[in-house]
Amino acid sequence: QVLLVQSGAEVKKPGASVKVSCKASGYSFTSYAINWVRQAPGQRLEWMGWLNVFNGNTKYSQNFQGRVTITRDTSASTAYMELSSLRSEDTAVYYCAAEGNAFDHWGQGTLVTVSS
Amino acid sequence: SYELTQPPSVSVAPGKTARITCGGNDIGSKSVHWYQQKPGQAPMLVIYYDNDRPSGIPERFSGSNSGNTATLSISRVEAGDEADYYCQVWDSASDHRVFGAGTKLTVL
């Protein structure tokens, strides 16, 4: 079955960067686009960006433009999301989601805490 | 940017039908997807392309979409349906994916 396994929780200081990984299994990695979605504590889901896994093309939310980079390593069936210039408001659970018909499959989430 | 409007909360008695709305400008021309999220868990797709169900989702879950409102309906509501529900679309104008603010479904 399709499985997306994300890297573990991170604690970062303001101004630092974080890179979260999302390892896919159970399907051909290039068959689904990968999206990244975050959720601050008690808040709504927020779309961050999209990756065409086949050709590497990306699209980012204007809310994160310039701070977020989504990449992939097809040999490792893994997608990555890097967020820079972290601030306390970036404390959230970050999810990867494989997009076929919709966000069909989700990773378990990675808690990123930004604190001095 | 395209915006989706959901009621913050909906309450329903067990066995009744819950209806959760998602409003947006001419949303009927877009494909709407719905996700269920229980506390501490990742979201799960329950309806895609307005009214299709992924395998494993009960027939009690259905959707509709017309004009400026899409609706997720859950018939014969059970205690286990209590969760947050989010609608989502792809906005072709911006090539962005957009989520609604979410609706908390409470089973009385």
Side-chain angles (χ1 to χ4, degrees), chain A residues 1 3 7-8 11 14 22 27 30-31 45 50 72 76 80 87 89 91-92 95 97-98 100 102 106 113 115:
Chain A
Q1 78 284 16
L3 199 59
S7 48
V11 179
C22 171
Y27 71 99
T30 56
S31 297
L45 300 173
W50 166 93
R72 92 284 194 221
Y80 302 91
R87 36 207 188 227
E89 310 89 88
T91 293
Y95 295 102
W106 294 69
T113 302
S115 174

Side-chain angles (χ1 to χ4, degrees), chain A residues 78-99:
Chain A
T78 301
Y80 302 91
M81 184 284 300
E82 184 169 22
L83 187 62
S84 62
S85 302
L86 290 170
R87 36 207 188 227
S88 58
E89 310 89 88
D90 294 317
T91 293
V93 176
Y94 290 77
Y95 295 102
C96 60
E99 182 179 19

Side-chain angles (χ1 to χ4, degrees), chain A residues 33 35 37 39 43-47 50 59-63 65 95 99-104 106-109, chain B residues 1 4 33 35 37 40-45 47-49 84 86 88 90 94-102:
Chain A
N35 288 262
V37 177
Q39 187 171 39
Q43 301 301 310
R44 65 192 292 173
L45 300 173
E46 182 178 21
W47 179 74
W50 166 93
K59 184 73 176 182
Y60 300 126
S61 166
Q62 292 169 349
N63 293 340
Q65 202 76 26
Y95 295 102
E99 182 179 19
N101 296 308
F103 291 5
D104 301 74
W106 294 69
Q108 83 276 19
Chain B
S1 60
L4 296 172
H33 315 303
Y35 304 87
Q37 186 181 33
Q41 297 184 16
M44 178 178 68
L45 179 67
I47 291 288
Y48 63 96
Y49 292 151
D84 293 327
Y86 293 88
Q88 180 253 315
W90 171 60
S94 62
D95 196 16
H96 282 193
R97 282 75 177 152
V98 180
F99 285 98

Side-chain angles (χ1 to χ4, degrees), chain B:
Chain B
S1 60
Y2 193 79
E3 293 189 359
L4 296 172
T5 302
Q6 295 184 240
S9 62
V10 167
S11 298
V12 64
K16 301 298 187 182
T17 297
R19 294 181 178 85
I20 298 171
T21 59
C22 177
N25 184 39
D26 194 26
I27 195 173
S29 67
K30 302 181 184 300
S31 292
V32 180
H33 315 303
W34 290 92
Y35 304 87
Q36 176 193 72
Q37 186 181 33
K38 296 183 178 180
Q41 297 184 16
M44 178 178 68
L45 179 67
V46 293
I47 291 288
Y48 63 96
Y49 292 151
D50 298 340
N51 192 27
D52 286 335
R53 280 176 291 104
S55 60
I57 300 301
E59 292 183 6
R60 301 185 297 105
F61 288 80
S62 63
S64 64
N65 185 17
S66 178
N68 293 318
T69 304
T71 302
L72 171 69
S73 298
I74 309 171
S75 61
R76 301 184 301 282
V77 165
E78 304 171 355
D81 298 329
E82 193 163 275
D84 293 327
Y85 290 85
Y86 293 88
C87 57
Q88 180 253 315
V89 302
W90 171 60
D91 176 32
S92 58
S94 62
D95 196 16
H96 282 193
R97 282 75 177 152
V98 180
F99 285 98
T103 298
K104 181 176 180 59
L105 176 67
T106 299
V107 180
L108 300 171

